[in-house]
Amino acid sequence: MKKIILLLLTLALALSCTACALHGKQRYTATLPDYFDTVTTVVAYDTSEKEFQQHLALFKSRMNDYHRLYDIYHTYEGITNLKTINDTAATAPVATDTRIISLLSYGKEIYALSGGKTNICFGAVLALWHKARQTQPAQLPAMRALQNAAAHTDINDLIIKDNTVFFKDSQLQLDVGAIAKGYAAKKISAWAEAELWSSAIINIGGNVCAFGTKADDGKTKWTIEIEHPDIASSKSGIETLYATDVSVVTSGDYQRFMTIGDKRYCHIINPETLMPSEYVSSVTIICKDAALADALSTTLFNMPIADGKKLIETMENAEALWVDKTYHKTFSSGFERYIQK
Amino acid sequence: MKKYDFIIIAAVLAIAGILFFFLYGTPAHNGKFVTVKIDGAITQTLPLAENRTLEIETAQGNNTLEIKDGYARIIAADCPDKICCHHAPVRRNGESIICLPHRLIISISSTEDNEIDARI
Protein backbone atom coordinates (compact mmCIF):
# COMPACT_ATOMS: atom_id res chain seq x y z
CA MET A 1 0.00 0.00 0.00
CA LYS A 2 2.77 2.41 1.01
CA LYS A 3 4.58 1.65 -2.19
CA ILE A 4 1.53 2.50 -4.26
CA ILE A 5 1.13 5.84 -2.42
CA LEU A 6 4.81 6.59 -2.95
CA LEU A 7 4.48 5.74 -6.62
CA LEU A 8 1.43 8.00 -7.07
CA LEU A 9 3.10 10.90 -5.24
CA THR A 10 6.25 10.61 -7.34
CA LEU A 11 4.19 10.49 -10.53
CA ALA A 12 2.20 13.54 -9.44
CA LEU A 13 5.43 15.42 -8.77
CA ALA A 14 6.89 14.43 -12.11
CA LEU A 15 3.73 15.44 -13.98
CA SER A 16 3.48 18.78 -12.21
CA CYS A 17 7.03 19.56 -13.29
CA THR A 18 6.20 18.84 -16.91
CA ALA A 19 3.06 20.96 -16.53
CA CYS A 20 5.31 23.87 -15.52
CA ALA A 21 7.16 23.46 -18.78
CA LEU A 22 3.83 23.60 -20.62
CA HIS A 23 2.82 26.88 -19.00
CA GLY A 24 6.08 28.68 -19.73
CA LYS A 25 5.48 31.06 -22.61
CA GLN A 26 7.92 31.38 -25.46
CA ARG A 27 9.04 34.29 -27.53
CA TYR A 28 7.69 34.56 -31.06
CA THR A 29 8.38 37.24 -33.65
CA ALA A 30 6.75 38.29 -36.91
CA THR A 31 7.61 40.87 -39.57
CA LEU A 32 4.68 42.27 -41.55
CA PRO A 33 5.33 44.35 -44.70
CA ASP A 34 1.73 45.08 -45.72
CA TYR A 35 0.50 47.94 -43.58
CA PHE A 36 0.89 51.73 -43.51
CA ASP A 37 3.53 51.67 -46.28
CA THR A 38 6.13 50.50 -43.77
CA VAL A 39 7.30 47.40 -41.91
CA THR A 40 5.67 46.23 -38.69
CA THR A 41 7.39 43.86 -36.29
CA VAL A 42 5.74 42.01 -33.43
CA VAL A 43 7.50 40.28 -30.55
CA ALA A 44 5.06 38.44 -28.27
CA TYR A 45 4.98 35.62 -25.76
CA ASP A 46 2.62 32.71 -26.31
CA THR A 47 2.40 29.09 -25.18
CA SER A 48 2.83 27.61 -28.65
CA GLU A 49 3.58 28.49 -32.26
CA LYS A 50 0.00 27.56 -33.11
CA GLU A 51 -1.42 29.96 -30.52
CA PHE A 52 0.87 32.73 -31.72
CA GLN A 53 -0.20 32.22 -35.33
CA GLN A 54 -3.86 32.39 -34.28
CA HIS A 55 -3.26 35.63 -32.38
CA LEU A 56 -1.19 37.03 -35.23
CA ALA A 57 -4.00 36.37 -37.73
CA LEU A 58 -6.37 38.45 -35.56
CA PHE A 59 -3.71 41.14 -35.20
CA LYS A 60 -3.15 41.31 -38.98
CA SER A 61 -6.85 41.57 -39.63
CA ARG A 62 -7.12 44.56 -37.28
CA MET A 63 -4.01 46.17 -38.78
CA ASN A 64 -5.56 45.75 -42.21
CA ASP A 65 -8.78 47.50 -41.11
CA TYR A 66 -6.88 50.59 -39.94
CA HIS A 67 -4.51 50.48 -42.90
CA ARG A 68 -7.40 50.62 -45.37
CA LEU A 69 -9.28 53.34 -43.50
CA TYR A 70 -6.21 55.61 -43.18
CA ASP A 71 -4.92 55.02 -46.73
CA ILE A 72 -4.82 58.25 -48.79
CA TYR A 73 -3.52 56.59 -51.97
CA HIS A 74 -5.99 53.74 -52.66
CA THR A 75 -9.72 53.14 -52.50
CA TYR A 76 -11.24 49.86 -51.37
CA GLU A 77 -14.63 48.50 -52.27
CA GLY A 78 -17.26 49.09 -49.62
CA ILE A 79 -15.08 51.41 -47.49
CA THR A 80 -15.24 55.19 -47.22
CA ASN A 81 -11.61 55.84 -46.39
CA LEU A 82 -9.37 58.94 -46.41
CA LYS A 83 -8.79 58.60 -50.17
CA THR A 84 -12.56 58.70 -50.75
CA ILE A 85 -12.78 61.74 -48.47
CA ASN A 86 -9.93 63.53 -50.30
CA ASP A 87 -11.67 62.81 -53.61
CA THR A 88 -15.22 63.82 -52.68
CA ALA A 89 -15.49 65.82 -49.42
CA ALA A 90 -15.32 69.21 -51.18
CA THR A 91 -18.58 68.50 -53.03
CA ALA A 92 -20.75 67.44 -50.10
CA PRO A 93 -20.30 66.16 -46.52
CA VAL A 94 -19.14 62.51 -46.55
CA ALA A 95 -20.35 60.08 -43.90
CA THR A 96 -17.50 57.86 -42.70
CA ASP A 97 -16.22 55.43 -40.06
CA THR A 98 -15.91 56.58 -36.44
CA ARG A 99 -12.21 55.55 -36.51
CA ILE A 100 -11.64 58.22 -39.19
CA ILE A 101 -13.72 60.85 -37.38
CA SER A 102 -11.77 60.31 -34.15
CA LEU A 103 -8.41 60.43 -35.99
CA LEU A 104 -9.30 63.72 -37.71
CA SER A 105 -10.60 65.24 -34.48
CA TYR A 106 -7.31 64.22 -32.84
CA GLY A 107 -5.50 65.89 -35.75
CA LYS A 108 -7.23 69.16 -34.87
CA GLU A 109 -6.16 68.84 -31.24
CA ILE A 110 -2.56 68.22 -32.31
CA TYR A 111 -2.64 71.23 -34.62
CA ALA A 112 -3.51 73.43 -31.64
CA LEU A 113 -0.94 71.76 -29.36
CA SER A 114 1.87 72.07 -31.93
CA GLY A 115 1.04 75.63 -32.97
CA GLY A 116 0.47 74.45 -36.55
CA LYS A 117 3.76 72.50 -36.84
CA THR A 118 1.81 69.29 -37.34
CA ASN A 119 -1.06 69.83 -39.75
CA ILE A 120 -3.17 66.99 -41.21
CA CYS A 121 -4.50 69.45 -43.84
CA PHE A 122 -1.07 69.81 -45.41
CA GLY A 123 -1.84 67.21 -48.10
CA ALA A 124 -1.62 69.57 -51.10
CA VAL A 125 2.01 70.45 -50.27
CA LEU A 126 3.00 66.94 -49.21
CA ALA A 127 1.57 65.47 -52.43
CA LEU A 128 4.10 67.53 -54.43
CA TRP A 129 6.94 66.17 -52.28
CA HIS A 130 5.58 62.63 -52.51
CA LYS A 131 5.55 62.92 -56.31
CA ALA A 132 9.10 64.33 -56.31
CA ARG A 133 10.36 61.34 -54.30
CA GLN A 134 8.68 58.92 -56.70
CA THR A 135 10.11 60.53 -59.84
CA GLN A 136 13.35 59.22 -61.36
CA PRO A 137 15.72 60.98 -61.32
CA ALA A 138 14.64 62.77 -58.15
CA GLN A 139 13.84 66.44 -58.58
CA LEU A 140 12.78 69.15 -56.14
CA PRO A 141 9.25 70.53 -56.56
CA ALA A 142 9.07 74.12 -57.82
CA MET A 143 8.76 76.69 -54.98
CA ARG A 144 5.91 78.46 -56.77
CA ALA A 145 3.93 75.21 -56.97
CA LEU A 146 4.61 74.61 -53.25
CA GLN A 147 3.44 78.13 -52.38
CA ASN A 148 0.28 77.74 -54.45
CA ALA A 149 -0.45 74.45 -52.69
CA ALA A 150 0.25 76.00 -49.25
CA ALA A 151 -2.67 78.39 -49.82
CA HIS A 152 -4.97 75.38 -49.42
CA THR A 153 -3.89 74.02 -46.04
CA ASP A 154 -6.15 75.83 -43.55
CA ILE A 155 -7.29 73.35 -40.89
CA ASN A 156 -10.41 75.47 -40.30
CA ASP A 157 -11.59 74.43 -43.76
CA LEU A 158 -11.87 70.87 -42.50
CA ILE A 159 -15.40 70.59 -41.11
CA ILE A 160 -16.17 67.59 -38.92
CA LYS A 161 -19.82 67.27 -37.93
CA ASP A 162 -21.22 64.14 -36.27
CA ASN A 163 -19.95 61.34 -38.50
CA THR A 164 -19.40 63.47 -41.61
CA VAL A 165 -16.41 65.27 -43.11
CA PHE A 166 -16.60 68.30 -45.40
CA PHE A 167 -13.91 70.48 -47.05
CA LYS A 168 -14.77 74.18 -47.30
CA ASP A 169 -11.76 74.61 -49.63
CA SER A 170 -12.14 72.56 -52.82
CA GLN A 171 -8.35 72.06 -53.05
CA LEU A 172 -7.88 70.95 -49.45
CA GLN A 173 -6.22 67.54 -49.08
CA LEU A 174 -5.68 65.45 -45.96
CA ASP A 175 -2.34 63.77 -45.23
CA VAL A 176 -2.36 62.00 -41.88
CA GLY A 177 1.19 60.61 -42.18
CA ALA A 178 2.38 62.50 -39.09
CA ILE A 179 -0.22 61.04 -36.73
CA ALA A 180 -2.00 57.99 -38.21
CA LYS A 181 0.56 55.30 -37.44
CA GLY A 182 0.83 56.41 -33.81
CA TYR A 183 -2.93 56.69 -33.48
CA ALA A 184 -3.45 53.22 -34.97
CA ALA A 185 -0.59 51.82 -32.85
CA LYS A 186 -2.29 53.12 -29.70
CA LYS A 187 -5.69 51.65 -30.57
CA ILE A 188 -4.34 48.33 -31.84
CA SER A 189 -1.91 47.73 -28.99
CA ALA A 190 -4.58 48.52 -26.36
CA TRP A 191 -6.79 45.95 -28.05
CA ALA A 192 -3.95 43.41 -28.33
CA GLU A 193 -3.16 43.79 -24.62
CA ALA A 194 -6.80 43.17 -23.72
CA GLU A 195 -7.46 40.34 -26.17
CA LEU A 196 -4.25 38.66 -27.34
CA TRP A 197 -1.06 38.91 -25.33
CA SER A 198 0.04 39.60 -21.77
CA SER A 199 3.49 40.75 -22.99
CA ALA A 200 4.35 42.11 -26.40
CA ILE A 201 6.26 44.84 -28.18
CA ILE A 202 4.80 46.12 -31.43
CA ASN A 203 6.77 48.32 -33.81
CA ILE A 204 4.76 49.92 -36.63
CA GLY A 205 7.43 51.58 -38.75
CA GLY A 206 9.16 53.37 -35.86
CA ASN A 207 6.10 53.63 -33.59
CA VAL A 208 6.84 51.25 -30.73
CA CYS A 209 4.22 50.17 -28.20
CA ALA A 210 5.38 47.92 -25.38
CA PHE A 211 3.23 46.27 -22.74
CA GLY A 212 3.86 43.54 -20.18
CA THR A 213 7.51 42.56 -19.76
CA LYS A 214 10.28 40.91 -21.69
CA ALA A 215 10.13 37.10 -21.31
CA ASP A 216 6.67 37.68 -19.77
CA ASP A 217 8.43 37.40 -16.40
CA GLY A 218 6.82 40.39 -14.70
CA LYS A 219 10.09 42.27 -14.19
CA THR A 220 12.48 42.50 -17.15
CA LYS A 221 12.27 45.72 -19.13
CA TRP A 222 12.07 45.75 -22.92
CA THR A 223 15.19 46.86 -24.79
CA ILE A 224 14.65 49.43 -27.54
CA GLU A 225 17.50 50.64 -29.67
CA ILE A 226 17.47 53.98 -31.48
CA GLU A 227 19.30 53.82 -34.79
CA HIS A 228 22.29 55.98 -35.54
CA PRO A 229 21.15 58.62 -38.09
CA ASP A 230 24.30 57.96 -40.10
CA ILE A 231 22.94 54.76 -41.60
CA ALA A 232 25.86 54.33 -43.98
CA SER A 233 28.26 54.00 -41.07
CA SER A 234 28.65 50.64 -39.40
CA LYS A 235 27.92 52.12 -35.99
CA SER A 236 25.19 50.40 -34.05
CA GLY A 237 22.42 52.30 -32.26
CA ILE A 238 22.98 55.80 -30.92
CA GLU A 239 21.12 55.00 -27.70
CA THR A 240 19.55 52.01 -25.97
CA LEU A 241 16.38 52.40 -23.89
CA TYR A 242 14.89 50.13 -21.23
CA ALA A 243 11.21 50.47 -20.50
CA THR A 244 7.87 48.80 -19.91
CA ASP A 245 4.33 50.03 -20.67
CA VAL A 246 5.39 52.94 -22.83
CA SER A 247 5.38 54.09 -26.38
CA VAL A 248 8.55 55.23 -28.14
CA VAL A 249 8.58 57.00 -31.49
CA THR A 250 11.46 58.29 -33.57
CA SER A 251 11.24 60.75 -36.46
CA GLY A 252 14.49 60.74 -38.40
CA ASP A 253 15.91 62.17 -41.59
CA TYR A 254 17.33 58.72 -42.43
CA GLN A 255 14.00 56.89 -42.52
CA ARG A 256 12.63 58.08 -45.83
CA PHE A 257 14.48 60.47 -48.08
CA MET A 258 15.64 61.28 -51.58
CA THR A 259 19.14 62.18 -52.68
CA ILE A 260 19.92 64.90 -55.20
CA GLY A 261 23.62 65.33 -55.85
CA ASP A 262 25.17 64.82 -52.43
CA LYS A 263 22.25 66.24 -50.48
CA ARG A 264 19.70 64.16 -48.63
CA TYR A 265 16.13 65.51 -48.52
CA CYS A 266 14.05 63.91 -45.76
CA HIS A 267 10.32 63.18 -45.85
CA ILE A 268 9.26 65.56 -43.08
CA ILE A 269 8.35 68.96 -44.49
CA ASN A 270 8.56 72.13 -42.43
CA PRO A 271 5.21 73.94 -42.83
CA GLU A 272 6.94 77.34 -42.65
CA THR A 273 9.61 76.84 -45.32
CA LEU A 274 7.67 74.19 -47.30
CA MET A 275 11.04 72.43 -47.56
CA PRO A 276 12.40 69.33 -45.78
CA SER A 277 13.05 70.06 -42.13
CA GLU A 278 16.71 70.81 -41.34
CA TYR A 279 16.82 71.32 -37.58
CA VAL A 280 17.90 67.85 -36.37
CA SER A 281 18.79 64.34 -37.54
CA SER A 282 16.29 62.61 -35.29
CA VAL A 283 13.89 63.14 -32.41
CA THR A 284 12.75 60.34 -30.13
CA ILE A 285 9.72 60.71 -27.87
CA ILE A 286 8.87 58.45 -24.93
CA CYS A 287 5.40 58.67 -23.40
CA LYS A 288 2.50 56.44 -22.43
CA ASP A 289 0.27 57.65 -25.24
CA ALA A 290 1.44 56.32 -28.63
CA ALA A 291 -0.68 58.79 -30.60
CA LEU A 292 0.75 61.75 -28.70
CA ALA A 293 4.28 60.36 -29.04
CA ASP A 294 3.94 60.17 -32.84
CA ALA A 295 2.50 63.68 -33.13
CA LEU A 296 5.15 65.16 -30.80
CA SER A 297 8.02 63.54 -32.71
CA THR A 298 6.96 65.30 -35.94
CA THR A 299 6.26 68.53 -34.08
CA LEU A 300 9.69 68.60 -32.42
CA PHE A 301 11.40 67.58 -35.66
CA ASN A 302 9.95 70.77 -37.16
CA MET A 303 11.41 73.19 -34.60
CA PRO A 304 14.81 74.15 -33.13
CA ILE A 305 15.93 72.01 -30.17
CA ALA A 306 15.56 74.94 -27.72
CA ASP A 307 11.90 75.50 -28.71
CA GLY A 308 11.18 71.78 -28.55
CA LYS A 309 12.72 71.58 -25.11
CA LYS A 310 10.44 74.34 -23.85
CA LEU A 311 7.40 72.53 -25.22
CA ILE A 312 8.32 69.09 -23.86
CA GLU A 313 9.10 70.40 -20.37
CA THR A 314 5.53 71.72 -20.09
CA MET A 315 4.17 68.21 -20.70
CA GLU A 316 3.98 65.66 -17.94
CA ASN A 317 5.11 62.13 -18.76
CA ALA A 318 6.65 62.95 -22.13
CA GLU A 319 10.40 62.86 -22.68
CA ALA A 320 12.54 63.60 -25.71
CA LEU A 321 15.97 62.85 -27.14
CA TRP A 322 17.32 65.00 -29.97
CA VAL A 323 20.21 64.00 -32.20
CA ASP A 324 21.48 67.02 -34.10
CA LYS A 325 23.14 67.12 -37.54
CA THR A 326 26.57 66.44 -35.98
CA TYR A 327 25.12 63.48 -34.00
CA HIS A 328 25.33 65.30 -30.68
CA LYS A 329 22.63 64.18 -28.22
CA THR A 330 20.35 66.41 -26.11
CA PHE A 331 18.03 64.91 -23.47
CA SER A 332 14.90 66.30 -21.83
CA SER A 333 15.07 66.46 -18.03
CA GLY A 334 13.42 63.10 -17.28
CA PHE A 335 14.79 61.06 -20.16
CA GLU A 336 17.75 59.56 -18.39
CA ARG A 337 15.79 57.11 -16.29
CA TYR A 338 15.07 55.22 -19.53
CA ILE A 339 18.71 54.67 -20.41
CA GLN A 340 19.43 52.77 -17.22
CA LYS A 341 18.82 49.07 -17.18
CA MET B 1 13.97 0.86 0.69
CA LYS B 2 14.25 -2.16 -1.44
CA LYS B 3 15.68 -2.80 -4.85
CA TYR B 4 12.13 -2.67 -6.21
CA ASP B 5 11.69 0.93 -4.94
CA PHE B 6 14.78 2.09 -6.74
CA ILE B 7 13.50 0.62 -9.98
CA ILE B 8 10.19 2.51 -9.59
CA ILE B 9 11.94 5.79 -8.78
CA ALA B 10 14.34 5.34 -11.67
CA ALA B 11 11.46 4.54 -14.04
CA VAL B 12 9.45 7.59 -12.92
CA LEU B 13 12.46 9.87 -13.29
CA ALA B 14 13.12 8.45 -16.74
CA ILE B 15 9.52 9.11 -17.84
CA ALA B 16 9.68 12.67 -16.43
CA GLY B 17 13.01 13.19 -18.19
CA ILE B 18 11.64 12.02 -21.53
CA LEU B 19 8.52 14.22 -21.17
CA PHE B 20 10.69 17.19 -20.25
CA PHE B 21 12.89 16.60 -23.27
CA PHE B 22 9.88 16.51 -25.62
CA LEU B 23 8.27 19.63 -24.16
CA TYR B 24 11.34 21.81 -24.30
CA GLY B 25 12.92 20.19 -27.31
CA THR B 26 16.54 20.78 -28.15
CA PRO B 27 17.84 23.73 -30.11
CA ALA B 28 18.97 22.30 -33.42
CA HIS B 29 21.51 25.04 -34.17
CA ASN B 30 23.60 27.52 -32.34
CA GLY B 31 24.91 30.83 -33.60
CA LYS B 32 23.61 33.61 -35.80
CA PHE B 33 21.67 33.39 -39.02
CA VAL B 34 20.75 35.69 -41.89
CA THR B 35 17.09 35.29 -42.77
CA VAL B 36 15.87 36.34 -46.22
CA LYS B 37 12.18 37.12 -46.42
CA ILE B 38 10.36 38.01 -49.62
CA ASP B 39 6.75 39.14 -49.44
CA GLY B 40 6.50 37.93 -45.85
CA ALA B 41 7.76 34.39 -46.54
CA ILE B 42 11.19 33.10 -45.51
CA THR B 43 13.04 32.00 -48.64
CA GLN B 44 16.46 31.35 -47.15
CA THR B 45 18.26 31.07 -43.84
CA LEU B 46 22.05 31.32 -44.04
CA PRO B 47 24.73 31.14 -41.36
CA LEU B 48 26.28 34.54 -40.66
CA ALA B 49 29.63 32.85 -40.15
CA GLU B 50 30.00 31.73 -43.78
CA ASN B 51 31.10 34.32 -46.34
CA ARG B 52 29.11 34.46 -49.56
CA THR B 53 27.56 36.80 -52.14
CA LEU B 54 24.05 36.04 -53.23
CA GLU B 55 21.74 37.38 -55.94
CA ILE B 56 18.19 37.64 -54.58
CA GLU B 57 15.40 37.73 -57.15
CA THR B 58 12.03 39.12 -56.13
CA ALA B 59 8.95 39.74 -58.27
CA GLN B 60 9.74 43.48 -58.08
CA GLY B 61 13.48 43.35 -58.78
CA ASN B 62 16.88 42.13 -57.66
CA ASN B 63 19.15 42.74 -54.67
CA THR B 64 22.67 41.49 -54.05
CA LEU B 65 23.31 40.27 -50.52
CA GLU B 66 26.82 39.98 -49.17
CA ILE B 67 27.68 38.02 -46.05
CA LYS B 68 31.25 38.72 -45.06
CA ASP B 69 33.29 38.59 -41.86
CA GLY B 70 30.21 38.26 -39.64
CA TYR B 71 28.25 41.09 -41.31
CA ALA B 72 25.41 41.06 -43.84
CA ARG B 73 24.64 43.92 -46.21
CA ILE B 74 23.04 44.75 -49.55
CA ILE B 75 25.76 45.76 -52.00
CA ALA B 76 23.57 46.36 -55.07
CA ALA B 77 19.89 46.68 -55.96
CA ASP B 78 17.72 47.90 -58.81
CA CYS B 79 15.08 49.45 -56.54
CA PRO B 80 14.25 53.17 -57.00
CA ASP B 81 15.25 54.49 -53.56
CA LYS B 82 18.42 52.41 -52.78
CA ILE B 83 17.75 52.81 -49.06
CA CYS B 84 18.71 49.14 -48.63
CA CYS B 85 22.15 49.74 -50.21
CA HIS B 86 22.81 52.76 -47.96
CA HIS B 87 21.96 50.82 -44.82
CA ALA B 88 24.84 49.92 -42.52
CA PRO B 89 25.92 46.27 -42.45
CA VAL B 90 23.98 44.28 -39.85
CA ARG B 91 25.33 41.68 -37.47
CA ARG B 92 23.42 41.78 -34.19
CA ASN B 93 20.34 39.76 -33.35
CA GLY B 94 17.19 41.58 -34.45
CA GLU B 95 18.93 43.97 -36.82
CA SER B 96 17.45 44.14 -40.30
CA ILE B 97 17.77 45.73 -43.72
CA ILE B 98 14.52 46.36 -45.52
CA CYS B 99 13.92 46.98 -49.21
CA LEU B 100 10.30 48.07 -49.18
CA PRO B 101 9.96 48.46 -52.98
CA HIS B 102 11.01 44.81 -53.42
CA ARG B 103 9.19 43.63 -50.26
CA LEU B 104 12.48 42.14 -49.10
CA ILE B 105 13.66 41.85 -45.50
CA ILE B 106 17.13 40.70 -44.49
CA SER B 107 17.34 40.09 -40.77
CA ILE B 108 19.72 38.64 -38.24
CA SER B 109 18.40 36.00 -35.90
CA SER B 110 20.17 34.11 -33.21
CA THR B 111 19.57 31.02 -31.16
CA GLU B 112 21.65 32.52 -28.37
CA ASP B 113 20.25 35.86 -27.29
CA ASN B 114 17.49 38.33 -27.99
CA GLU B 115 18.94 41.42 -26.51
CA ILE B 116 17.17 44.06 -28.63
CA ASP B 117 13.38 43.87 -28.82
CA ALA B 118 12.67 46.81 -31.11
CA ARG B 119 14.81 49.05 -33.27
CA ILE B 120 13.67 52.48 -34.41
Side-chain angles (χ1 to χ4, degrees):
Chain A
M1 188 63 198
K2 266 186 189 168
K3 276 176 192 164
I4 292 166
I5 291 168
L6 177 71
L7 177 67
L8 287 175
L9 282 173
T10 323
L11 261 177
L13 184 69
L15 283 174
S16 69
C17 279
T18 51
C20 290
L22 272 176
H23 280 127
K25 288 188 181 176
Q26 289 196 331
R27 179 186 174 100
Y28 296 96
T29 60
T31 309
L32 315 170
D34 294 313
Y35 313 108
F36 303 109
D37 200 18
T38 186
V39 174
T40 299
T41 58
V42 178
V43 174
Y45 290 84
D46 261 324
T47 49
S48 66
E49 173 76 30
K50 196 179 159 213
E51 189 185 33
F52 177 68
Q53 291 303 335
Q54 285 168 351
H55 287 157
L56 192 66
L58 295 169
F59 179 83
K60 283 161 79 169
S61 153
R62 184 140 308 213
M63 285 284 288
N64 199 39
D65 290 346
Y66 277 93
H67 164 75
R68 288 177 168 212
L69 284 171
Y70 295 170
D71 193 338
I72 62 168
Y73 300 114
H74 308 94
T75 49
Y76 302 93
E77 223 184 300
I79 301 173
T80 303
N81 72 354
L82 286 178
K83 164 80 169 147
T84 322
I85 291 171
N86 268 346
D87 290 346
T88 60
T91 336
V94 180
T96 187
D97 194 284
T98 51
R99 285 167 287 186
I100 287 183
I101 297 294
S102 60
L103 174 75
L104 299 183
S105 305
Y106 189 68
K108 288 207 168 208
E109 273 177 51
I110 290 302
Y111 183 88
L113 175 82
S114 69
K117 301 276 184 195
T118 300
N119 180 3
I120 57 167
C121 293
F122 221 59
V125 173
L126 297 178
L128 294 172
W129 279 103
H130 181 77
K131 207 174 136 197
R133 278 198 302 276
Q134 300 280 317
T135 312
Q136 290 297 327
Q139 211 181 341
L140 293 180
M143 186 41 84
R144 181 165 300 170
L146 289 170
Q147 282 165 343
N148 289 340
H152 305 284
T153 57
D154 186 347
I155 199 154
N156 296 312
D157 289 335
L158 167 64
I159 312 296
I160 304 167
K161 200 179 166 205
D162 303 323
N163 68 332
T164 67
V165 180
F166 176 64
F167 296 165
K168 251 175 29 186
D169 178 342
S170 67
Q171 291 183 61
L172 189 85
Q173 290 285 287
L174 296 169
D175 186 319
V176 293
I179 64 164
K181 277 187 287 176
Y183 195 81
K186 175 184 170 173
K187 297 290 178 189
I188 292 168
S189 82
W191 166 81
E193 186 174 9
E195 304 288 333
L196 306 182
W197 297 300
S198 52
S199 291
I201 184 161
I202 297 160
N203 181 0
I204 306 179
N207 289 257
V208 172
C209 283
F211 56 83
T213 50
K214 185 166 179 161
D216 200 36
D217 63 358
K219 58 177 194 285
T220 311
K221 291 174 183 174
W222 297 100
T223 305
I224 301 150
E225 189 174 76
I226 302 167
E227 287 214 56
H228 197 291
D230 183 8
I231 52 168
S233 85
S234 56
K235 293 184 191 87
S236 52
I238 198 156
E239 195 60 80
T240 306
L241 313 180
Y242 304 92
T244 55
D245 293 312
V246 288
S247 176
V248 186
V249 178
T250 296
S251 288
D253 61 7
Y254 54 89
Q255 293 165 332
R256 212 169 278 196
F257 58 85
M258 62 175 172
T259 314
I260 300 175
D262 288 339
K263 196 164 162 55
R264 208 158 79 175
Y265 293 90
C266 77
H267 71 297
I268 300 172
I269 305 301
N270 183 338
E272 278 157 28
T273 62
L274 310 180
M275 294 294 285
S277 213
E278 300 265 6
Y279 295 112
V280 290
S281 279
S282 77
V283 178
T284 298
I285 305 290
I286 305 182
C287 79
K288 293 259 180 212
D289 184 332
L292 181 62
D294 194 14
L296 281 175
S297 76
T298 312
T299 304
L300 265 58
F301 196 87
N302 273 331
M303 54 173 75
I305 294 177
D307 294 1
K309 232 181 159 186
K310 263 184 226 156
L311 176 63
I312 209 83
E313 301 298 353
T314 63
M315 310 193 66
E316 274 179 56
N317 305 322
E319 302 298 340
L321 160 61
W322 295 261
V323 179
D324 71 14
K325 293 286 184 187
T326 61
Y327 312 132
H328 173 79
K329 291 183 274 187
T330 305
F331 298 90
S332 68
S333 60
F335 196 94
E336 272 161 39
R337 67 171 180 247
Y338 293 108
I339 56 182
Q340 277 132 29
K341 213 167 187 172
Chain B
M1 295 283 261
K2 291 193 176 139
K3 193 178 154 197
Y4 188 59
D5 295 319
F6 282 110
I7 292 169
I8 290 174
I9 290 165
V12 166
L13 283 175
I15 292 166
I18 289 163
L19 278 173
F20 188 81
F21 180 82
F22 273 111
L23 288 167
Y24 277 112
T26 47
H29 307 281
N30 279 311
K32 285 181 182 171
F33 295 90
V34 181
T35 305
V36 179
K37 255 189 205 176
I38 301 170
D39 218 354
I42 295 176
T43 58
Q44 268 163 314
T45 304
L46 308 159
L48 188 61
E50 290 171 22
N51 290 356
R52 78 181 78 203
T53 306
L54 187 76
E55 199 64 32
I56 300 168
E57 288 176 24
T58 77
Q60 275 75 31
N62 300 338
N63 302 64
T64 309
L65 168 71
E66 182 189 69
I67 303 174
K68 198 179 162 194
D69 304 333
Y71 284 89
R73 62 180 180 135
I74 299 289
I75 53 173
D78 55 11
C79 58
D81 59 17
K82 303 275 191 288
I83 288 177
C84 57
C85 302
H86 291 132
H87 200 286
V90 290
R91 65 180 166 88
R92 294 188 302 164
N93 187 22
E95 284 187 320
S96 59
I97 301 176
I98 293 154
C99 182
L100 213 50
H102 291 174
R103 305 174 61 76
L104 169 75
I105 301 165
I106 306 294
S107 57
I108 305 293
S109 56
S110 169
T111 53
E112 285 160 359
D113 69 311
N114 41 50
E115 201 183 311
I116 308 284
D117 302 300
R119 188 168 273 103
I120 52 177

